Amino acid sequence: MDGMFSQLSVLGSSLVLIFGLILLWRRGVTAYIAAFRWQSIVLALVTAIVAYFAADHELYWVAGALLLLKGVVIPGLLKRMERRFPAERELDPYVNTATSLVVAGLLVLFGYAITRPLVALSQLPTRAGMPLAMGLVLVSLFVVISRKKALTQVVGFLMLENGLALLAILGTYGIPLIVELGVFLDVLMGFLVMQIFIYQIHETFESIDVEQLNHLRH
Amino acid sequence: MRAYVLQVTQATLALLLAPGLVGLIRWMKARLQNRRGAPMWQPYAELRKLFQKEVIVSSNASWVFRAAPFLVFSSTVAVTLLVPILAVPLPFDRVGDLLVVVYLLLLGTFFLALAGLDVGSPFGGMGASREMTVAALAEPAIALAIFALALSAGSTNLGQIVARTLAHPGTALSPGHLLAFGALFVVTLAETGRLPIDNPATHLELTMIHEAMVLEYSGRYLALIEWAAATKLLIFFSLLGNLFIPWGVAVALTPATVAIAVFSLLAKFIVLAGTVAVLETRIAKLRLFRVPELLSVSFLLGLLAVTSSFLLR
Amino acid sequence: MTPEHLLLAVVFSYGTGALAAIVVGGAVGRGLVAGCALLAALSGVMLGVICLGAEHAPTVSAPFLPLTSFSLRIDGLSAFFLILIGIVGAAVSVYGFGYSAAYEGRYSLRLLGAMLNILLLSLSVQVMADNALTFLVAWEAMSLSAYLMVLTEHDRPGTLRAAHWYIAITHASFAALVGMFLLLSAGDLTTSFSAMRSALLTPGVRNAAFVLALLGFGAKAGIVPLHVWLPMAHPVAPSHVSALMSGVVIKMGIYGLVRVTIDLLVGGPSWWGGLVLGIGTVSALLGVLYALMEHDLKRLLAFHSVENIGIIFIGLGAGLLFQSYGLMTLATLSVVGGLYHTLNHACFKGLLFLGAGSVLHATGTRNMEELGGLVKRMPRTAFFFLVGACAISALPPLNGFASEWLVFQALLGGSAIPQAEVALIMPIAVAMLALTSGLAAACFVKAFGITFLAIPRTPVAERAHESPVSMQAGMLTLAVACVALGLAPFVIVPLLESSLAGLNGFTATTVVFTPALPLQVPGTFGQMSAPLLAVGLAVLLTLVPLALRILGADQRLRVGDTWGCGRIGQTPRMQYTATAFAEPLRRIFAELYRPTRDLSIDFHPASKYFVQSIEYRSEIHPWFERVLYGGLVLVIRTTARWVRRLQGGSLHLYLLYMALAFLVLLTVARWWR
């Protein structure tokens, strides 16, 4: 049983990480939104699996909230934004695609090296997936740094949040429900603020290319 | 003694089934595209026609052009003798492992590329250049997939890998195996020239990779090369099927187990052919300079497979 | 035939050859040079073979130097390298007889012949050296004789510059080696190696010695970034000298590294192995990437030497790494793989350079873009070059594949390393090695295809002729060696393992490889049987045409024109060029290459819409020279200019300096406690 739990958690974490890598491979924002949606669904599934094996019923609620908020609401809002700015594709990032993927691989290895003490200390069967969650955090950070379009950076930030949530679930079987709900509220608020910003940027520059902000200084 | 007979039968079966596999994929694609399509045994008819035609060799070409089809075909047949198609362990297992298989296939590609350059036409050169680029960039992905498999099985010996997975069924669902399957699947598409890397049905020379290299071949030479390409596809499908989902592979050499092995092989082929057909219908061909990105994704999947195998040890 | 007799034969033959070169001229002189060198090389091979199986290593010492004697000791490692030197030396001497005929009257054949023998002699002495002074003297003799031979074609552009870079970097490496020996012997260069083995050194001294060894031997071997002299010097030397340099001289770096780190220093901390492994990976990848972009045949081969030295370093680095963790079986596997690749590379790189030399001899140009169609005009040379190309691309069943297979197996065993962060280097090394071998195959399709296949691109290629018999004989020897080494790994590998057994770091290991037909890696990690594979391929190659005939396939064959989309006639310009072949890879790796682009368009004077001519220039400069060495040279120049101010030219200034120095000396002597 334990072996099955361990395998499923690592499988789930790998899938979550792979959806994150889509941000570095594809160029269209539609693909990013789909990747985020599927990533959140898999994350909710992983939470449900942990809830089942650890017999922790609070986590079922967390999984449901994840599914609702990050699987339905936020992707819906993202799609609405994307309809406002169609055909904005990530054509010229600061780091090109193949190099980005290689850097992502190195970041995953780095994440593995960093979380070694955590994995060694933990007794939980889910500990094997923690390096992958850390890898997702680092890769999302890299996406935010190396991509130019504001929408990509927003999705990157949301995936960063997913990575942290995964780390929490795998490392400590989640955080108390009330804290989790607070975090969800923060994420929603943050997202709405970013939405306003993006509309403003588009108003001013007729594009959501964040590099244009350079023109603001004199 | 029985084992040797089975080994030769296995290779013959592979050679006989290969054109049918290509025909199956074409038929499935046709049906998905709402066409009737040619019957599944069309490639056999094509091969027979080609064997009865005269060979025309360019005046620019040398012995390399004439020897290449035989070299490609022989190396591919040699690989069918090494790969577990029906049963493990087999006596020729000692001759080569997974690394030998990869490099034997590279031998075929090498000489085909030389033949492409030998005729002195720009199409041949273009095909050779692109094919070697794709082959070179697919190598790290294959190497890491092999590493991941070898790590969990403790050996690069093909029979050993299959036996190990049969003994521990849980490893088939391990992330290392699944990710390695993903990596190897992308590599299969690259090495056998299927969409989205190369379109096997295109007529435009500027979009060809494999077809452009063999543009100048005719008659029995072309038949050998086409047959070798189909066999390569079958080999990769056998690897994908039997290394990762080894149930059905005969361990003891009795008629019953061998019959089951044949049926399970056909079932795996049908599933894989269906996947490839659906993929080819859904996805458009990638620009040549987007192919390295796809192969980087495959490389990354291989790296994740190896890391996962390390993690779960 | 005792070892002492053979050793005498070696020294005597090389000496006679050198003398004969200076004294006798013309074809007889060339024949004597070649003959003596051949005899000596073969004696060297026999000496190596005898000593490989011997229980104790024969030693010889002769009082030659004032401070100490020349001391030679032939253990397993020395014997292996003697065989390597002998095989390549024999082929090169035979080839050189025919090749140097073209130099009659234009360049000094005396110097060439004499230096060839001296180079081979110093190489042989160096691998047998048993104390520091002998080693250093032989090293310096090797460097100088190679330098003089590089300068043979001194009136060609680029030769002087290449020779300057070569001698500068070689002497810098010599300085590093002197420093290293001083550290190892605590200041006394006459110490024998056996004394150095048993010396107790602090870890700091050992680390410093390792770094100096890496710098000194690495510069000779040609690792990145100390490789810049290789692509300059190897192309401009006469082709048989290039073959010798690429095949043997750079291997002296490998010999030195193995001798010092494994034998004298008896292994070290894991960062030694990791560093060597990292350097090897980078060298392999960068070497092949720059080779892909070359269209000068010999420069391409020189960059491939960098790549293969990288692969050897990968094997050695993995070996050192495993040794530091006590995994002796895997360590033996790795080092054996590295040494096997050393021998294989010597053979196939020598073969390739000799082939390139034949092409140069026949057409007068090294530029691939001007060649083509040589396979019909020089069929035997083309065949030998093809064997070399298949060997270097690691295609089974030739020798390149056998050694790369071993190195792969060694790296795959890396999961046994207890520290997971270190163990994760192995998959990256595996991936990079696979990428390197794939790119090497692509590069040699280009090299062989553009140079030899299709139709000649210029009149010089049309007028090419087959090489003389001596040159063909040289190439044949190495081709046979390549095939033999590829078919017999199950014999070679146990021999290599026994050659390692004498080394300090590898004693007391159980026998890893038993001579059996399938070469089996211990721990049942993998098996491979090259001869069975070759037999299988040969059987299939004969069966298939036979089967076609029996089954009634149409056997007619007609010669016609290449299909060209309906055009009439074909010119050589319609073929693919070398630059075009490498274009996809140039684009993919453009961030690394950073090619410069120059586009100038001439418009018709009457209207801007009619183009008269377009000139497009694109160059790739390896940035090592510009950034690393340019910076270094700048620093040296600035410092030199600053120091030059001390030399005012005035007599009084110099008197002042002397007086000051005298005063300082008195002060120090009086008040120093």
Side-chain angles (χ1 to χ4, degrees):
Chain A
M1 251 314 128
D2 222 26
M4 170 84 111
F5 186 16
S6 202
Q7 295 245 11
L8 282 174
S9 63
V10 172
L11 186 60
S13 318
S14 307
L15 275 175
V16 167
L17 178 59
I18 290 178
F19 282 123
L21 292 172
I22 302 259
L23 279 186
L24 289 174
W25 179 36
R26 303 292 300 275
R27 284 173 165 73
V29 178
T30 334
Y32 297 162
I33 299 174
F36 173 67
R37 166 181 278 141
W38 283 104
Q39 189 186 57
S40 309
I41 293 176
V42 175
L43 185 59
L45 269 174
V46 172
T47 317
I49 290 175
V50 173
Y52 172 70
F53 279 100
D56 182 352
H57 294 281
E58 260 195 8
L59 278 178
Y60 283 120
W61 290 104
V62 172
L66 257 174
L67 199 60
L68 186 64
L69 185 69
K70 291 190 177 176
V72 179
V73 173
I74 292 191
L77 289 171
L78 280 170
K79 269 227 165 296
R80 218 164 28 139
M81 278 172 70
E82 191 240 339
R83 251 177 277 138
R84 273 285 297 266
F85 323 116
E88 291 272 2
R89 291 166 66 81
E90 196 73 56
L91 290 172
D92 184 27
Y94 286 116
V95 184
N96 71 7
T97 309
T99 319
S100 307
L101 287 169
V102 173
V103 170
L106 293 174
L107 284 173
V108 170
L109 289 179
F110 184 60
Y112 179 61
I114 291 188
T115 47
R116 284 260 297 155
L118 283 176
V119 173
L121 252 115
S122 165
Q123 298 295 330
L124 301 172
T126 50
R127 65 184 181 278
M130 283 207 286
L132 297 169
M134 190 73 209
L136 177 61
V137 168
L138 292 172
V139 168
S140 311
L141 213 54
F142 178 66
V143 167
V144 171
I145 296 172
S146 66
R147 264 46 189 165
K148 285 186 184 166
K149 301 293 182 206
L151 264 178
T152 321
Q153 293 182 316
V154 169
V155 178
F157 164 76
L158 289 169
M159 287 202 175
L160 179 72
E161 228 286 308
N162 269 356
L164 290 171
L166 184 64
L167 199 57
I169 290 170
L170 294 176
T172 58
Y173 286 176
I175 44 186
L177 184 61
I178 203 86
V179 180
E180 192 76 51
L181 285 176
V183 170
F184 280 153
L185 193 62
D186 276 332
V187 170
L188 192 56
M189 285 289 108
F191 177 72
L192 290 173
V193 170
M194 279 191 271
Q195 200 176 28
I196 296 175
F197 263 116
I198 292 185
Y199 284 140
Q200 279 298 90
I201 293 175
H202 192 259
E203 288 272 320
T204 316
F205 296 106
E206 291 300 314
S207 97
I208 54 171
D209 190 340
V210 177
E211 226 189 343
Q212 303 282 347
L213 286 172
N214 278 343
H215 293 282
L216 285 176
R217 66 155 193 233
H218 282 290
Chain B
M1 192 59 215
R2 231 185 326 175
Y4 286 101
V5 171
L6 184 65
Q7 187 110 55
V8 174
T9 325
Q10 176 181 280
T12 325
L13 184 69
L15 277 180
L16 289 175
L17 275 181
L21 188 59
V22 171
L24 177 65
I25 297 183
R26 278 193 213 159
W27 180 81
M28 282 191 186
K29 270 172 73 173
R31 288 288 155 149
L32 282 170
Q33 291 165 10
N34 241 341
R35 294 184 280 123
R36 288 205 57 153
M40 264 181 259
W41 49 88
Q42 177 69 11
Y44 291 105
E46 284 176 17
L47 281 179
R48 199 177 70 162
K49 174 189 76 169
L50 282 172
F51 274 122
Q52 286 164 354
K53 286 204 166 231
E54 181 188 34
V55 166
I56 300 185
V57 167
S58 157
S59 49
N60 299 338
S62 64
W63 63 267
V64 174
F65 184 81
R66 288 179 222 204
F70 296 104
L71 273 162
V72 172
F73 192 72
S74 309
S75 63
T76 319
V77 171
V79 172
T80 57
L81 286 169
L82 295 174
V83 163
I85 302 181
L86 284 181
V88 301
L90 286 174
F92 286 164
D93 249 1
R94 298 178 307 139
V95 178
D97 61 350
L98 205 39
L99 284 168
V100 173
V101 165
V102 171
Y103 278 96
L104 270 177
L105 292 172
L106 186 64
L107 176 71
T109 315
F110 187 86
F111 275 97
L112 217 50
L114 281 180
L117 279 173
D118 200 13
V119 288
S121 81
F123 304 124
M126 189 178 68
S129 151
R130 292 174 173 186
E131 177 81 16
M132 290 314 291
T133 308
V134 170
L137 291 175
E139 290 278 320
I142 305 180
L144 282 180
I146 295 178
F147 198 137
L149 282 173
L151 209 56
S152 57
S155 166
T156 47
N157 187 309
L158 288 157
Q160 183 105 355
I161 296 176
V162 175
R164 201 53 183 278
T165 319
L166 277 176
H168 305 273
T171 54
L173 273 183
S174 72
H177 266 239
L178 292 172
L179 289 168
F181 182 85
L184 205 58
F185 190 77
V186 176
V187 164
T188 305
L189 295 178
E191 289 274 340
T192 54
R194 315 293 313 180
L195 285 161
I197 286 127
D198 184 15
N199 189 349
T202 183
H203 306 289
L204 307 169
E205 292 87 6
L206 290 178
T207 61
M208 294 177 180
I209 299 182
H210 183 266
E211 303 299 321
M213 269 196 311
V214 302
L215 210 55
E216 198 64 26
Y217 276 112
S218 50
R220 59 184 185 280
Y221 291 168
L222 184 59
L224 283 176
I225 291 179
E226 294 286 330
W227 205 351
T231 316
K232 194 167 168 184
L233 182 64
L234 186 138
I235 289 170
F236 271 104
F237 276 11
S238 315
L239 283 175
L240 281 173
N242 288 342
L243 287 182
F244 293 94
I245 314 166
W247 294 279
V249 176
V251 178
L253 298 177
T254 65
T257 53
V258 171
I260 295 178
V262 173
F263 277 119
S264 74
L265 186 74
L266 288 174
K268 289 174 197 167
F269 281 171
I270 292 177
V271 169
L272 283 169
T275 320
V276 171
V278 168
L279 218 58
E280 290 207 326
T281 317
R282 281 270 302 168
I283 301 182
K285 188 172 109 69
L286 283 175
R287 269 193 71 193
L288 181 68
F289 298 115
R290 297 267 180 269
V291 170
E293 295 168 14
L294 181 63
L295 291 172
S296 306
V297 171
S298 168
F299 165 77
L300 208 52
L301 286 176
L303 193 61
L304 284 179
V306 171
T307 350
S308 304
S309 303
F310 266 107
L311 286 172
L312 279 174
R313 251 183 330 150
Chain C
M1 266 297 182
T2 66
E4 284 79 15
H5 287 155
L6 283 170
L7 185 57
L8 218 62
V10 168
V11 174
F12 190 64
S13 294
Y14 281 135
T16 319
L19 216 58
I22 300 178
V23 167
V24 185
V28 179
R30 280 187 290 123
L32 274 176
V33 162
C36 291
L38 179 65
L39 185 62
L42 289 174
S43 315
V45 172
M46 280 216 299
L47 180 59
V49 167
I50 292 180
C51 295
L52 202 53
E55 292 101 43
H56 66 272
T59 57
V60 164
S61 97
F64 247 91
L65 303 169
L67 294 172
T68 180
S69 46
F70 255 164
S71 166
L72 303 176
R73 180 170 170 268
I74 313 175
D75 65 355
L77 192 65
S78 313
F80 168 70
F81 274 94
L82 273 175
I83 298 178
L84 193 155
I85 296 171
I87 295 179
V88 182
V92 162
S93 0
V94 174
Y95 184 92
F97 171 68
Y99 188 80
S100 45
Y103 287 155
E104 291 256 11
R106 285 161 55 199
Y107 303 117
S108 167
L109 274 178
R110 296 184 192 179
L111 198 62
L112 187 61
M115 286 303 123
L116 182 68
N117 280 294
I118 302 227
L119 177 62
L120 285 167
L121 178 61
S122 56
L123 284 169
S124 311
V125 167
Q126 188 176 73
V127 300
M128 297 190 282
D130 198 35
N131 66 15
L133 214 52
T134 319
F135 188 91
L136 289 172
V137 168
W139 184 275
E140 192 60 9
M142 168 185 78
S143 308
L144 286 177
S145 49
Y147 168 69
L148 287 171
M149 284 201 283
V150 166
L151 277 178
T152 308
E153 299 185 10
H154 47 81
D155 52 359
R156 282 202 172 201
T159 313
L160 284 178
R161 182 165 174 264
H164 280 156
W165 274 94
Y166 176 63
I167 202 71
I169 295 190
T170 300
H171 272 147
S173 76
F174 182 68
L177 289 181
V178 170
M180 173 197 77
F181 275 122
L182 283 173
L183 279 177
L184 282 176
S185 57
D188 183 10
L189 285 179
T190 61
T191 336
S192 72
F193 281 178
S194 49
M196 286 189 211
R197 277 182 203 116
S198 44
L200 288 165
L201 303 163
T202 64
V205 169
R206 288 165 61 87
N207 288 339
F210 172 72
V211 170
L212 284 173
L214 194 58
L215 285 175
F217 291 123
K220 174 56 80 183
I223 54 174
V224 167
L226 302 166
H227 69 287
V228 284
W229 59 272
L230 232 165
M232 283 197 248
H234 284 198
V236 300
S239 306
H240 58 298
V241 174
S242 308
L244 198 55
M245 284 174 76
S246 235
V248 184
V249 175
I250 59 180
K251 305 303 186 303
M252 291 302 113
I254 304 289
Y255 167 75
L257 201 62
V258 173
R259 177 65 76 191
V260 170
T261 48
I262 296 182
D263 195 17
L264 297 182
L265 287 173
V266 197
S270 52
W271 67 265
W272 287 15
L275 187 61
V276 174
L277 186 61
I279 289 179
T281 319
V282 170
S283 304
L285 207 51
L286 283 176
V288 77
L289 282 174
Y290 281 114
L292 272 166
M293 295 298 127
E294 286 291 334
H295 52 246
D296 176 338
L297 199 52
K298 286 171 82 171
R299 238 176 108 90
L300 182 147
L301 293 174
F303 271 115
H304 272 288
S305 292
V306 174
E307 173 218 338
N308 280 288
I309 289 286
I311 297 179
I312 299 173
F313 263 61
I314 289 178
L316 289 181
L320 280 173
L321 199 59
F322 288 133
Q323 192 190 26
S324 67
Y325 284 106
L327 300 159
M328 293 313 290
T329 321
L330 283 169
T332 315
L333 179 59
S334 319
V335 178
V336 164
L339 286 179
Y340 194 12
H341 200 78
T342 311
L343 182 58
N344 290 339
H345 178 240
C347 290
F348 56 62
K349 188 45 69 68
L351 176 59
L352 286 168
F353 263 109
L354 293 184
S358 296
V359 170
L360 182 56
H361 177 94
T363 61
T365 174
R366 303 193 307 247
N367 188 353
M368 269 190 267
E369 308 273 26
E370 294 172 16
L371 298 170
L374 295 178
V375 70
K376 294 188 182 153
R377 292 158 176 81
M378 317 168 63
R380 281 181 281 269
T381 307
F383 180 70
F384 293 139
F385 196 92
L386 184 61
V387 171
C390 291
I392 199 172
S393 310
L395 300 178
L398 293 174
N399 55 359
F401 173 69
S403 50
E404 278 205 29
W405 185 85
L406 270 178
V407 175
F408 265 120
Q409 292 290 351
L411 291 176
L412 285 173
S415 55
I417 294 182
Q419 252 187 304
E421 290 100 8
V422 176
L424 274 176
I425 302 177
M426 295 299 179
I428 299 187
V430 167
M432 292 302 110
L433 187 59
L435 182 62
T436 308
S437 78
L439 288 173
C443 190
F444 271 94
V445 168
K446 177 182 103 162
F448 182 75
I450 304 282
T451 311
F452 287 95
L453 297 178
I455 44 184
R457 291 177 175 80
T458 53
V460 286
E462 270 177 49
R463 292 192 295 261
H465 55 274
E466 183 62 271
S467 343
V469 178
S470 57
M471 288 163 69
Q472 287 181 42
M475 288 192 274
L476 178 67
T477 323
L478 286 177
V480 167
C482 284
V483 175
L485 286 170
L487 289 180
F490 58 95
V491 163
I492 311 266
V493 169
L495 280 176
L496 276 173
E497 200 207 336
S498 67
S499 79
L500 278 184
L503 293 185
N504 230 352
F506 280 81
T507 50
T509 51
T510 51
V511 170
V512 171
F513 294 102
T514 46
L517 206 58
L519 180 68
Q520 175 152 355
V521 171
T524 63
F525 218 82
Q527 291 168 314
M528 189 259 298
S529 174
L532 288 177
L533 204 62
V535 165
L537 277 175
V539 165
L540 285 168
L541 272 174
T542 40
L543 271 184
V544 171
L546 214 64
L548 283 186
R549 223 172 268 266
I550 294 175
L551 291 172
D554 198 312
Q555 297 296 320
R556 290 175 295 167
L557 192 143
R558 182 156 58 97
V559 174
D561 280 334
T562 309
W563 181 72
C565 252
R567 59 158 163 75
I568 304 169
Q570 177 174 13
T571 70
R573 283 282 294 156
M574 293 179 191
Q575 297 174 97
Y576 233 51
T577 62
T579 319
F581 192 93
E583 160 84 3
L585 285 161
R586 183 165 77 229
R587 283 235 206 159
I588 290 168
F589 291 104
E591 294 289 315
L592 173 70
Y593 292 130
R594 298 184 186 278
T596 60
R597 277 190 47 166
D598 237 331
L599 186 62
S600 69
I601 308 181
D602 276 336
F603 294 104
H604 196 273
S607 156
K608 208 168 67 82
Y609 293 102
F610 290 97
V611 170
Q612 255 187 337
S613 75
I614 299 180
E615 186 180 315
Y616 174 81
R617 282 180 70 96
S618 175
E619 282 185 70
I620 295 178
H621 289 292
W623 49 268
F624 294 103
E625 286 172 50
R626 243 181 331 124
V627 173
L628 280 173
Y629 290 89
L632 193 64
V633 168
L634 193 64
V635 165
I636 294 178
R637 277 223 180 102
T638 327
T639 320
R641 231 175 302 158
W642 192 85
V643 169
R644 204 166 42 161
R645 284 199 224 128
L646 283 175
Q647 286 196 307
S650 142
L651 182 65
H652 285 90
L653 194 60
Y654 298 152
L655 288 170
L656 182 61
Y657 287 154
M658 280 195 277
L660 274 176
F662 185 53
L663 283 174
V664 168
L665 192 60
L666 286 174
T667 324
V668 164
R670 168 68 178 85
W671 276 290
W672 183 272
R673 275 292 159 263

